[in-house]
Amino acid sequence: MKKIPFKIQLLAVMFVIGAAFLGFQAQVRSAADGKEQAVQSQSFNMAVVDVQALLTRSAAAKSIQEQLNVQREEFKKEIGAIDKKLKDQQQALIKSNGKGTEEEFNKKKSELEKSVMDARQTVQKRRNALDVAAGTALEKLRGEITKVVASLSDKNKYDIVISRQNVVLAVKSMDITEEVMKELNSSITKIDLKVETN
């Protein structure tokens, strides 16, 4: 039996290893392609909603704004009356200067200063009360928006719903704001503004 030269044996081994390696690479490539196709074949259903529009244009949002306007007008009248009272007190103090004792003047002056401090506190309380009431009402509205979006998401099988404010660009067909608006307006038209002034 004729002995096969070492170089030929080495070439044969390298050929077998190379063929095996190429076969392995083909399998890896095929598996990767399969995974990529599987990922591409999975549909991802996404929607966009303009929450800010719902918080300003919905019927409930408009009801909150109308109530805020009424409250602001009432507070404006109340503060106007306080301001008039303070001006009257100030005028009376100026007129009484030099008429009576220094002790009486200082007493009236202290009363005016106290009235000014009380007025400032009243104004601050009214502002805070209005801010808290508006915040609470808007939070309730956000909760209602979330319920409607969740319901539409279940119905339309959305994988994710993103706020329009967090999206730079989206296809118009992805925007469900008007659909949410319609559902929201049919479920709630008014949210009461509860202003605690005490």
Side-chain angles (χ1 to χ4, degrees), residues 25-176:
Q25 270 191 326
Q27 284 178 341
V28 169
R29 205 175 292 121
S30 174
D33 289 345
K35 282 182 183 176
E36 194 176 308
Q37 285 172 357
V39 168
Q40 286 175 353
S41 68
Q42 290 176 351
S43 62
F44 190 73
N45 202 5
M46 188 169 79
V48 174
V49 64
D50 190 341
V51 177
Q52 198 55 45
L54 297 168
L55 288 171
T56 53
R57 288 184 13 231
S58 66
K62 287 176 182 174
S63 82
I64 293 169
Q65 193 57 52
E66 284 165 11
Q67 291 172 80
L68 276 170
N69 291 340
V70 168
Q71 284 293 330
R72 282 192 189 108
E73 281 304 312
E74 283 181 18
F75 289 165
K76 201 173 171 182
K77 285 176 188 173
E78 184 183 357
I79 290 161
I82 291 169
D83 189 46
K84 186 182 181 308
K85 187 180 173 185
L86 288 174
K87 281 178 182 171
D88 290 347
Q89 261 185 286
Q90 187 181 24
Q91 287 300 318
L93 181 67
I94 292 165
K95 284 178 183 177
S96 71
N97 192 10
K99 296 176 184 176
T101 65
E102 190 178 333
E103 188 180 325
E104 287 172 335
F105 178 80
N106 287 336
K107 187 183 174 187
K108 286 181 182 177
K109 186 180 171 189
S110 293
E111 285 172 3
L112 177 61
E113 286 169 354
K114 187 182 181 307
S115 295
V116 169
M117 287 296 293
D118 289 346
R120 283 182 185 159
Q121 285 179 347
T122 299
V123 169
Q124 194 57 48
K125 276 182 186 175
R126 297 293 183 266
R127 281 184 184 152
N128 290 345
L130 211 55
D131 288 345
V132 169
T136 304
L138 286 172
E139 200 54 44
K140 188 173 179 183
L141 179 54
R142 278 191 186 93
E144 294 298 323
I145 291 167
T146 302
K147 283 181 198 172
V148 171
V149 170
S151 173
L152 286 173
S153 183
D154 286 344
K155 181 181 163 186
N156 298 319
K157 307 286 185 231
Y158 293 126
D159 295 303
I160 188 169
V161 179
I162 300 173
S163 170
R164 184 72 185 87
Q165 285 67 34
N166 296 323
V167 177
V168 176
L169 192 64
V171 179
K172 193 168 176 136
S173 60
M174 291 172 71
D175 195 319
I176 60 166

